[in-house]
Amino acid sequence: MCGIAGWVAFDADLTRRQADVDAMTATMGCRGPDEGGTWVRRHTALGHRRLAIIDLPGGRQPMTVDTPGGAVALVYSGETYNFAELREELRGRGHRFRTSSDTEVVLRGYLEWGEDVAARLNGMFAFAVWDERADRLVLVRDRLGVKPLYYHPTPDGVLFGSEPKAILANPLARPVVDADGLRELFGFAMRPGWALWQGMHEVRPGTVVTVDRTGSRTSTYWTLRAVEHTDDQDTTVARVRDLMTDIVHRQLVADVPRCVLLSGGLDSSAVTGLAAAHLSERLRTFSVDFVGREETFEADENWDSPDAPYIRDVAALVGSDHRFVTLDPGALTDPALRRTVITARDMPVGFGETDTSLYLLFQAIKAESTVALSGESADEVFGGYRWFHDPAAVHAETFPWLAYRSPMSGDRAAPLHPALRAELDLPTYVADEYATAVASVEHLPGSTAVDRRMRTIGHLHLTRFVRMLLDRKDRVSMAVGLEVRVPFCDHRLVEYVYNTPWALKTFDGREKSLLRAATAHVLPESVLGRRKSPYPSTQDPGYAMALQQQAKAVLADSAHPVHDILDQDWLTSIVDQDVSRPSDARRGIDRVLDLYHWFDLYRPALDL
C-alpha cells in the first residue's frame, strides 16, 4: 500500500519544477512511511511514497523499464492478489523479473497487454503509467474503488494523486469549492466521479483515464452486469463458501505482521474464522470499544447489544490473540484529533466519533501490525443493512440510506444558512442523482418486480454507497500507515452474489442468509443468531457535553469565516439540546465542528 502523485505538462519543462513535485509527493508521507522517490522527465513527473508489504527490498518505486521506444514508468498503490499466477504467465511470454513484488508484475503486465492489464488484476489498486513510447499517461483504478485516485486537468496536461491533498500541493490547483461540490457533500447521493474541490475528479472505479497531447479519455473495463443465476441453494452456498475461503487465503499474503478487525458481527467474524483456519500461526484480532460501554449499554433503534460478548465468543472459538482497544470518550473530543481526521479525509464529513474512534483504533493496530483484514462491504454485497429489509425504505423513490431512519439520514444540511440551502436545492439534486442511478441498472428479461427492485437497491449500494465507506476506511487507515484489506470487495464474489435472486439471499428469512450459511462452520452460535449492528458509538454523557461546549465556542467566534455559510439561529438553538445519545442534533454539531476546523486547515475559497 502506498501513495502516488504526479504531473503531466506537455508545454512545460518539469525538470525545473522538482520542488513542486517533491511537495506533492510529501503529502503522501503518511500513506507511505517507509520510503519515497520521484521520477522526473521534461513533460512528466511521478512521485511515490511506499508502505512496504511484499518484497520489502525489491518493490521500490517509481519503477521503470527501458524499451527501444522509450521508458515506461509506474507508480502503484495497492495489492494484486493474483500476482503469482500472472508472473508465471508473463514469464511464459518471455518477461524476466528483477524482483518478487506485485508492482513489477503490474508493470510487466502493462508492457504485455497495455491498458487491458487492468481486467486481469484481482486486487485493490490505483496506479499511473507514463508510457514514453506514446507520450501518454494511463490512470487505472480497481473495480470497486477500494483504492482512491484523483485527477485535475490543467491547460496543458493533468495533476493526479491518491488524495486531493497531493493535487492541492501544486500551485496550479486552487482550494476552491463551488455549489456543485457542496451539493454532494451535504446531499449524500454518492455521485460517482465526484471530488469536493472545483476542477478535480475521482477516477471512477473500473475505469481507465488516458491523457496525451490531444486531451483525456475515459474507458470502462468493468461494470456490474445482470447475468442469470442458475445454481440451486446448496450449490450457491457452496460457491460462496469456496469463494470466501479462496479470497481470505489470498489476502493473507504479506511479508509483514497481519491481523483481522473483529467487531463481533457476522462479517468480520466470518473473515476471522476463515483466516484462523488457514494460518499456521496464532491469528491476531483487534476491536474498538469505549470505557464503560458494555456495563452501561442501553439498547435503541440502531444498537441491540454491545459488541464485546460476541467478540469474546469468536476469539475463544478460533483461539485468536485478541486485543480490545478501549477508548476514553474524552480523547475523542480532542480538537487536534478531529483536525487530524479532517486532514486525512480532505473534507468535513461530520461523522464525529465514528471517524475519530476508527483513527485511534487503526493507530493502536499499526503499533503491532501493518496489514489488517476487514469485514467492510459485506452488507452491500449480501444485503445486510436494515433498510434492505424495511418495506418503506425499499419502495421509497430515493436512495434507501436516506429513506431509512438511521445515522445516515436526517437533514444533513440543517446547519447551513437558509439562503445557501435554497441555492443548493438538495431535494432536486438528490432526486436527479437517484433517477440517473436507477436508469443505469441493467435487468434481466422476465424478472419479478421484487427481483428488479432488489437488484436496483443492490446496484445503488455497490456503485455508490460502498464507495463512501471504502474511502473512509482507506483514508483513515492510511493516515497511520496501516493497510486494510477488504475480502468482500473481491469482484468474483461481488458478481456472483449480485446476480443471486433476493429469495436466495434471504432464504432463512434473515439478512445475509448466504454468508451465514457459507461460513457457519467457523462461527459461534451467538454470532450466527446476532442481528446486524452498526459500528459502535459512545453513550458517555461527558462526550456530548464536550461537543456542546465546543459548539458554543464556534458560536462565540463570530468573525470566523465558517459563519458565512452557517445558520446562526439553528446553531444557537442546538447548543443546549440533549445530545447525550446519537441524534440529528448531535450529528449536526459534528458537521459544524468539522466545517469550522476544515476552514482553518484548508482556507477554501467558496465560489457560490
Side-chain angles (χ1 to χ4, degrees), residues 359-438:
Y359 178 89
L360 293 176
L361 170 65
F362 288 159
Q363 187 178 58
I365 294 173
K366 173 60 179 177
E368 303 180 44
S369 293
T370 307
V371 169
L373 271 63
S374 166
E376 190 87 82
S377 308
D379 289 308
E380 290 81 5
V381 175
F382 289 94
Y385 290 117
R386 293 186 181 185
W387 51 76
F388 272 86
H389 308 272
D390 178 77
V394 166
H395 297 293
E397 289 298 316
T398 190
F399 298 103
W401 55 85
L402 299 180
Y404 185 80
R405 180 69 177 174
S406 77
M408 297 293 179
S409 60
D411 186 359
R412 292 178 53 82
L416 300 181
H417 190 281
L420 178 56
R421 287 167 60 94
E423 180 180 352
L424 298 182
D425 189 12
L426 294 182
T428 298
Y429 170 76
V430 171
D432 289 346
E433 282 298 312
Y434 177 73
T436 299
V438 169

Side-chain angles (χ1 to χ4, degrees), residues 131-452:
D131 192 337
E132 206 168 60
R133 300 170 300 180
D135 273 355
R136 178 180 63 186
L137 178 74
V138 180
L139 301 174
V140 181
R141 193 170 180 209
D142 67 63
R143 297 169 180 82
L144 271 294
V146 181
K147 304 312 299 176
L149 185 56
Y150 295 83
Y151 68 104
H152 187 302
T154 63
D156 69 334
V158 70
L159 306 168
F160 68 87
S162 292
E163 299 178 8
K165 61 175 62 67
I167 295 171
L168 293 173
N170 189 293
L172 293 179
R174 296 179 58 243
V176 178
V177 177
D178 56 22
D180 193 50
L182 291 180
R183 285 189 184 98
E184 177 53 41
L185 180 66
F186 291 98
F188 227 51
M190 321 295 183
R191 188 174 84 227
W194 173 81
L196 174 62
W197 306 97
Q198 188 180 74
M200 198 180 299
H201 310 279
E202 177 189 53
V203 176
R204 295 190 182 195
T207 68
V208 176
V209 176
T210 58
V211 181
D212 58 24
R213 290 181 179 275
T214 65
S216 65
R217 292 165 298 283
T218 299
S219 60
T220 300
Y221 70 88
W222 184 84
T223 188
L224 277 174
R225 303 300 304 273
V227 178
E228 184 179 3
H229 185 86
T230 58
D231 293 341
D232 61 17
Q233 179 177 311
D234 290 343
T235 304
T236 300
V237 170
R239 176 60 176 158
V240 171
R241 181 183 300 117
D242 289 344
L243 281 169
M244 284 297 305
T245 301
D246 178 69
I247 292 165
V248 170
H249 292 181
R250 286 179 180 271
Q251 297 198 16
L252 286 169
V253 174
D255 296 332
V256 293
R258 302 153 295 184
C259 68
V260 175
L261 306 176
L262 175 59
S263 71
L266 174 62
D267 316 333
S268 66
S269 300
V271 173
T272 298
L274 293 171
H278 176 70
L279 292 177
S280 57
E281 74 267 23
R282 189 181 184 192
L283 177 67
R284 305 197 69 184
T285 53
F286 293 84
S287 62
V288 68
D289 203 355
F290 302 98
V291 173
R293 188 173 195 270
E294 184 175 5
E295 295 78 14
T296 62
F297 178 84
E298 294 181 16
D300 59 23
E301 68 273 15
N302 292 309
W303 289 274
D304 296 331
S305 57
D307 294 335
Y310 301 94
I311 292 170
R312 286 191 286 268
D313 287 349
V314 175
L317 178 67
V318 305
S320 71
D321 177 9
H322 185 77
R323 178 185 167 192
F324 285 96
V325 178
T326 305
L327 305 177
D328 180 351
L332 300 174
T333 61
D334 182 355
L337 175 60
R338 184 181 290 270
R339 291 164 75 94
T340 296
V341 173
I342 293 170
T343 301
R345 302 199 66 178
D346 286 315
M347 59 183 175
V349 182
F351 280 4
E353 82 269 26
T354 302
D355 276 359
T356 52
S357 64
L358 190 67
Y359 178 89
L360 293 176
L361 170 65
F362 288 159
Q363 187 178 58
I365 294 173
K366 173 60 179 177
E368 303 180 44
S369 293
T370 307
V371 169
L373 271 63
S374 166
E376 190 87 82
S377 308
D379 289 308
E380 290 81 5
V381 175
F382 289 94
Y385 290 117
R386 293 186 181 185
W387 51 76
F388 272 86
H389 308 272
D390 178 77
V394 166
H395 297 293
E397 289 298 316
T398 190
F399 298 103
W401 55 85
L402 299 180
Y404 185 80
R405 180 69 177 174
S406 77
M408 297 293 179
S409 60
D411 186 359
R412 292 178 53 82
L416 300 181
H417 190 281
L420 178 56
R421 287 167 60 94
E423 180 180 352
L424 298 182
D425 189 12
L426 294 182
T428 298
Y429 170 76
V430 171
D432 289 346
E433 282 298 312
Y434 177 73
T436 299
V438 169
S440 70
V441 183
E442 180 183 54
H443 293 283
L444 293 173
S447 297
T448 67
V450 169
D451 277 330
R452 286 180 64 88

Side-chain angles (χ1 to χ4, degrees), residues 46-100:
L46 305 179
H48 186 266
R49 291 293 314 185
R50 186 185 183 206
L51 176 64
I53 301 293
I54 294 175
D55 188 7
L56 305 190
R60 293 184 176 89
Q61 301 183 48
M63 187 175 286
T64 62
V65 172
D66 290 324
T67 75
V72 178
L74 168 73
V75 283
Y76 164 80
S77 169
E79 303 292 342
T80 297
Y81 303 122
N82 64 334
F83 76 97
E85 298 99 309
L86 289 174
R87 183 169 54 209
E88 290 309 306
E89 181 178 355
L90 288 164
R91 279 176 174 157
R93 292 172 176 262
H95 290 267
R96 301 180 68 179
F97 287 83
R98 306 188 305 265
T99 76
S100 58

Side-chain angles (χ1 to χ4, degrees), residues 389 505-506 508-513 516 528-531:
H389 308 272
K505 291 178 182 174
T506 56
D508 63 359
R510 302 187 57 194
E511 80 283 358
K512 294 185 284 196
S513 306
R516 184 177 293 103
L528 285 170
R530 190 184 186 193
R531 188 184 181 204

